[in-house]
Amino acid sequence: MRRTAFETIEAPDFDLALTLDSGQAFHWERAGAGFVGAIGDRAVYVEQCGSVLKVRDGEPPTLPRVISRYFSLDHPLAEICASFPNDPAMRTASDYCRGLRIIRQPRWECLATFITSSMKQVAHIRQISRTLRRRFGETRTVHGIETHVYPAARRIAELNEVELRKCALGYRAKNLLSTARLISRGEVDLDRLATLPDEELRARLCELPGVGAKIANCVLLFAYERLRAFPIDVWIERILRERYLQRRRKLTSEKLRQFCNEYFGAYGGYAQQYLFHHARTTASQKRKPSSTKPAPRLSRKAR
DNA sequence: ATACAGGCTCGCC
DNA sequence: GGCGAGCCTGTA
């Protein structure tokens, strides 16, 4: 029986590969000319041909609306970019990231993934996500390729710390487990939190084990459509210090937060993602710059 | 080999 | 209420 044909979706101002490689989601795999991954429970194949996406669901019918919503094809990208502050760093990043969109991820999956991301490089975050999915997530097939959905909170909740540590989570295992159990028991309802305003939502997320300001802001941005949320990680902090706040001393995290909120404005999350992705990808090309020291946060224990 | 990652959390001052 | 150290593990 012949496989169903692709559906197509109009996707102007969109760069699929760039978006999937920008460190928002960590499970999409290249498959031929496209990518295979899961959107919630659905296995999906997506391929970009110019301004059109060819898509296919593992269990037809294919639902273009699910896909266009996931990739936020409705975001007014021109308006968003026009809202950015007009400075050299922002212009460079903005040109470099044309077509990069902030995607809408399922809440638990996003929260869990970022809990496992702390102090990790992208390659390793991907690996942890893959291991958790393969061991504990349901299997799906699309485009002749197997993929796995992210395990639900209640599935994680019934594991123990030892099993999770075997997935290379290290100290993050305890945090993921505790948070999964809170959610599984219904003590926290991620969907209900969606009605809260930004500040309150952030505060509630920060109550979860393993969630601080940075991870909470990632979840606000990638799972709650709060496009003003501005996660500050080591990359962004470096950029802010080097390009925006050179001569300021005594930069507390509170002052950084304030500056970002005011300076980058209503679409700060987009600005952050562009700055972040530009810095991260161009830094790995240079490979040498001896002046690019990892910033003054390196006190390690000597042995 | 060894430093260091897209942090959070404590204990100390 | 700011600052530093410890926590795990894979990658460069």
Side-chain angles (χ1 to χ4, degrees), chain A residues 122-244:
Chain A
V122 170
H124 196 195
I125 302 168
R126 293 181 66 90
Q127 183 185 314
I128 291 173
S129 169
R130 187 164 50 239
T131 306
L132 289 173
R133 286 168 185 273
R134 283 186 181 161
R135 291 196 186 167
F136 309 119
E138 292 173 23
T139 304
R140 298 278 189 279
T141 302
V142 63
H143 204 60
I145 296 168
E146 258 193 11
T147 188
H148 303 265
V149 308
Y150 202 86
R154 63 179 169 284
R155 179 73 181 105
I156 300 287
E158 68 192 17
L159 303 172
N160 59 51
E161 194 179 328
V162 174
E163 291 173 280
L164 284 175
R165 277 184 180 257
K166 285 181 188 159
C167 302
L169 269 89
Y171 64 87
R172 303 157 195 82
K174 185 195 284 274
N175 294 332
L176 181 63
L177 185 58
S178 303
T179 296
R181 288 182 173 168
L182 281 172
I183 289 166
S184 181
R185 288 199 300 260
E187 292 179 36
V188 175
D189 183 336
L190 294 180
D191 292 331
R192 283 247 291 252
L193 295 184
T195 59
L196 298 176
D198 292 5
E199 294 301 327
E200 268 182 73
L201 175 55
R202 177 164 29 240
R204 298 296 301 277
L205 290 173
C206 284
E207 291 171 2
L208 300 171
V211 180
K214 190 271 178 184
I215 290 174
N217 278 325
C218 284
V219 178
L220 254 70
L221 181 58
F222 301 134
Y224 285 93
E225 306 178 57
R226 309 303 170 95
L227 300 183
R228 176 184 275 276
F230 198 103
I232 300 177
D233 53 47
V234 291
W235 289 94
I236 288 295
E237 183 168 341
R238 199 175 308 156
I239 294 167
L240 291 174
R241 289 178 186 278
E242 288 174 2
R243 305 296 299 267
Y244 291 96

Side-chain angles (χ1 to χ4, degrees), chain A residues 77-102:
Chain A
L77 216 52
E79 179 189 320
I80 289 169
C81 291
S83 81
F84 292 159
N86 188 13
D87 64 64
M90 196 67 243
R91 279 197 299 274
T92 305
S94 184
D95 288 345
Y96 187 82
C97 296
R98 198 161 294 271
L100 196 171
R101 289 173 183 266
I102 302 287

